[in-house]
Amino acid sequence: MAIQTQNLDEHNSKVVVRNFINALNAENFAAAREQLADDMIFKGVMGERRGADVYMEDMKKMKFKYEIKKLFVDGNDVSLWYDINMGKSTIFSAGWYKIENDRIKSFQVIFDPRPIL
């Protein structure tokens, strides 16, 4: 039974992250927000955001587009390698998403920021 529960957790975690990325790409910010825990934490190369509403306000302004290259799942952790189109630059990045209660509780994105500085 434990293996079935882990497989379900991994499936759900993958679906939550894919739904989040797809909603951002479609600029469906309400649907993207539904994938986030209210008290989620984002950590990135250029700063940190606390709270889903604060994070989503930034996303509405930036309108980044994501092209997933590879997705890895380990329990409730999802890792992505993706290109992030930031408007003037597209940057290869890695993201680590932690899922709790079928919502993104935290995630961290790393990339080489030199092209946007």
Side-chain angles (χ1 to χ4, degrees):
M1 191 69 157
I3 291 174
Q4 288 178 333
T5 300
Q6 181 178 358
N7 288 341
L8 183 59
D9 286 346
E10 288 183 352
H11 170 78
N12 290 348
S13 295
K14 181 168 78 172
V15 167
V16 166
V17 172
R18 280 196 179 274
N19 286 347
F20 177 67
I21 296 297
N22 290 340
L24 289 175
N25 283 341
E27 297 183 20
N28 184 343
F29 299 110
R33 171 62 178 88
E34 290 176 11
Q35 306 308 310
L36 301 174
D38 292 342
D39 61 346
M40 62 79 66
I41 298 171
F42 165 77
K43 293 181 181 179
V45 175
M46 307 302 281
E48 183 175 308
R49 299 291 178 272
R50 292 183 173 272
D53 293 332
V54 171
Y55 176 79
M56 289 309 304
E57 285 305 312
D58 284 347
M59 292 299 96
K60 289 175 187 175
K61 294 174 191 165
M62 294 187 269
K63 299 181 181 177
F64 292 164
K65 303 295 183 231
Y66 303 82
E67 182 183 347
I68 297 172
K69 302 296 185 180
K70 188 70 178 173
L71 183 148
F72 304 92
V73 182
D74 181 16
N76 291 320
D77 292 341
V78 178
S79 182
L80 299 177
W81 288 354
Y82 43 22
D83 282 336
I84 302 176
N85 181 328
M86 298 181 178
K88 295 179 182 177
S89 299
T90 297
I91 299 183
F92 183 69
S93 307
W96 179 12
Y97 296 76
K98 293 183 164 280
I99 311 304
E100 287 183 15
N101 300 317
D102 293 329
R103 297 285 182 265
I104 298 169
K105 179 68 173 180
S106 67
F107 68 103
Q108 192 166 353
V109 176
I110 57 172
F111 58 86
D112 178 356
R114 289 177 290 183
I116 60 173
L117 295 178

